Amino acid sequence: MDKQIIFRVICRCTKNDIIDTCRKWNFLPEVTLQQINLKKPKIRIAEDVYESCQEEDVDIQAAGDLDLIYSQIHSESRKWSVCELRGQDKVHFISSPNAFRKLIVSKMKLYFDDVHVNVNMFGGALWSRVHIVDMKHPTVYKPNDVIYMVHYPKTQFVVISRIKAKDEDNFIEALLPVFKTDEVHSLQLVGSHVPSLVELALNKHSQGSFGKYRSIEERENPLTRKSNRKRKASSEPVKDFDKRLRGENEEEKKQRMELLDHTFGSADQPTLEKLEYKMDVKFRGTKCVPMMANKDRPFRCRIKFEGPSVLEGVRNLGKAGLASLPLPSHLAKVNSLAKNFFVIRDKSAMNKNQT
């Protein structure tokens, strides 16, 4: 199975990244890495790499380390979900990858017949790879049997990749003693950018006008993104305008920017690729569709906002005057709510459900 894992990782890398990825793996000698011929087809390169690995007595544990490193470098190719560790023992925390790995292995083996676990420290977080072997085909490597997990020590959040439905309950149950917590609760916060997801979960109460306090924390907090998050000035050359000229809506633009800064803060927004809303409300467009006026049933639909950075896009719509301000709370308070899936109902319907 180690051969299947190594072949898959090498073939997924671009040719320019193969040597750097193997170097971060720190398994093959530098002399061997320099001898890799990148002019060959990738399948041939993978064969050469595996042959060199055999000389170093590679096993499935070492191959798993390579796969974990690849997943860290290309973490944005996966979908991640944020879970909150509710009722966690705040005194209990582990920052040693070896100790964390042993703990995960001991708890997972109570629920699964064969498990391989890899853990390392990357970007201040414990990254884990849990391979639950399919006992129907124990010699066949299936990428869907692997679960990746990211946890920052001393926090009550863990970010988890996709879990197979048949393994989900047992996997979550095994995590309870690992983190000494009562519940692993999904926050309905999903995305591809792990640092942004963690930032949204950790800084739920630092949106908008509280952003100035967060900017002080970001200088020392290792959990915040390392990139310069200060909003960049326009790269367009400054033109010399006649000082007597004045834009007729300058005051409106200023008010919009003040309102947007109060709502979102002045820094770039965390990266979320999707906002999804499930609507269960009364239809309000009866002027356009009169036949819906007498319908008592709720109007149900789903609305999705998708893009490279939806929060930044919403902010830019407000800045350009293409969105009415102030924004509705389900758009304006995404940062504080730390979720990107919402169910919106009429208040009357909510009251009926409560009674």
Side-chain angles (χ1 to χ4, degrees):
M1 194 181 292
D2 54 342
K3 180 178 180 180
Q4 300 172 50
I5 297 172
I6 292 172
F7 264 65
R8 184 174 186 273
V9 171
I10 298 301
C11 290
R12 292 184 72 191
C13 289
T14 63
K15 286 189 176 182
N16 293 333
D17 292 337
I18 289 175
I19 294 179
D20 287 340
T21 302
C22 290
R23 185 174 285 121
K24 290 177 181 178
W25 185 25
N26 198 28
F27 184 80
L28 294 173
E30 183 65 27
V31 176
T32 302
L33 296 179
Q34 296 297 334
Q35 293 174 350
I36 295 176
N37 185 1
L38 297 179
K39 294 182 180 180
K40 293 182 179 181
K42 276 201 284 188
I43 190 68
R44 303 302 177 199
I45 297 175
E47 290 176 353
D48 292 344
V49 170
Y50 182 68
E51 288 178 5
S52 299
C53 291
Q54 285 183 305
E55 296 175 4
E56 301 294 330
D57 297 326
V58 69
D59 57 14
I60 192 170
Q61 189 67 28
D65 287 336
L66 176 63
D67 182 59
L68 179 57
I69 289 169
Y70 177 88
S71 297
Q72 291 166 343
I73 298 172
H74 303 278
S75 62
E76 294 187 18
S77 64
R78 301 187 181 280
K79 290 295 181 184
W80 302 86
S81 301
V82 182
C83 295
E84 182 179 7
L85 307 174
R86 294 185 172 179
Q88 184 185 25
D89 183 354
K90 295 183 179 180
V91 178
H92 171 78
F93 74 93
I94 296 178
S95 58
S96 167
N98 289 334
F100 195 55
R101 177 186 171 277
K102 291 179 181 178
L103 184 59
I104 294 175
V105 170
S106 65
K107 303 307 177 185
M108 290 293 167
K109 283 191 173 181
L110 298 176
Y111 296 88
F112 303 104
D113 294 326
D114 192 6
V115 180
H116 302 284
V117 179
N118 303 83
V119 180
N120 67 22
M121 185 69 76
F122 180 77
L126 289 166
W127 287 68
S128 308
R129 175 186 182 272
V130 181
H131 179 195
I132 302 171
V133 178
D134 185 352
M135 299 310 295
K136 293 181 180 179
H137 307 281
T139 60
V140 179
Y141 175 63
K142 299 178 181 178
N144 288 340
D145 291 337
V146 179
I147 304 165
Y148 302 91
M149 186 169 61
V150 184
H151 174 65
Y152 288 89
K154 296 187 178 182
T155 71
Q156 69 273 33
F157 300 103
V158 59
V159 187
I160 305 174
S161 68
R162 179 183 173 275
I163 309 174
K164 291 174 70 172
K166 71 180 185 68
D167 296 330
E168 184 171 3
D169 290 343
N170 286 337
F171 180 80
I172 296 299
E173 193 69 24
L175 290 184
L176 299 182
V178 170
F179 293 107
K180 287 193 176 182
T181 187
D182 297 333
E183 180 186 1
V184 178
H185 175 75
S186 174
L187 292 182
Q188 294 185 320
L189 178 60
V190 180
S192 299
H193 196 266
V194 173
S196 290
L197 295 175
V198 175
E199 182 181 353
L200 284 166
L202 286 173
N203 297 316
K204 290 172 64 174
H205 305 293
S206 60
Q207 184 177 358
S209 57
F210 292 93
K212 60 183 180 181
Y213 300 106
R214 190 178 73 188
S215 63
I216 299 174
E217 179 189 10
E218 285 179 344
R219 299 189 192 117
E220 301 177 355
N221 189 349
L223 305 183
T224 55
R225 284 178 280 174
K226 297 299 182 183
S227 59
N228 184 4
R229 298 189 61 244
K230 188 175 180 180
R231 190 170 296 277
K232 296 179 181 179
S234 174
S235 58
E236 297 179 359
V238 179
K239 298 179 181 179
D240 294 328
F241 289 103
D242 191 328
K243 294 181 180 180
R244 295 173 296 176
L245 297 177
R246 178 179 174 84
E248 61 181 19
N249 59 346
E250 286 298 319
E251 190 63 31
E252 179 186 347
K253 288 182 179 180
K254 182 179 178 181
Q255 290 176 358
R256 281 183 171 277
M257 289 307 301
E258 290 177 352
L259 188 55
L260 288 169
D261 285 346
H262 179 77
T263 302
F264 292 102
S266 59
D268 290 340
Q269 297 304 297
T271 302
L272 276 182
E273 298 84 7
K274 181 171 73 172
L275 287 177
E276 184 173 351
Y277 297 88
K278 180 181 178 182
M279 311 296 290
D280 190 359
V281 297
K282 182 179 178 181
F283 187 78
R284 291 176 171 80
T286 53
K287 290 183 179 180
C288 300
V289 189
M291 65 181 67
M292 296 290 292
N294 297 323
K295 300 288 184 181
D296 295 329
R297 291 181 301 173
F299 183 77
R300 295 184 175 91
C301 67
R302 285 180 181 264
I303 301 172
K304 294 181 181 180
F305 296 87
E306 294 182 317
S309 181
V310 175
L311 293 178
E312 192 68 29
V314 170
R315 191 184 194 282
N316 288 337
L317 285 175
K319 178 181 177 180
L322 299 176
S324 300
L325 298 178
L327 294 168
S329 59
H330 56 265
L331 279 175
K333 295 184 178 180
V334 172
N335 298 45
S336 295
L337 296 172
K339 58 192 293 187
N340 57 347
F341 178 79
F342 303 87
V343 178
I344 299 179
R345 296 187 176 93
D346 284 325
K347 290 183 179 180
S348 57
M350 293 174 64
N351 293 334
K352 287 181 181 180
N353 292 335
Q354 290 177 356
T355 55

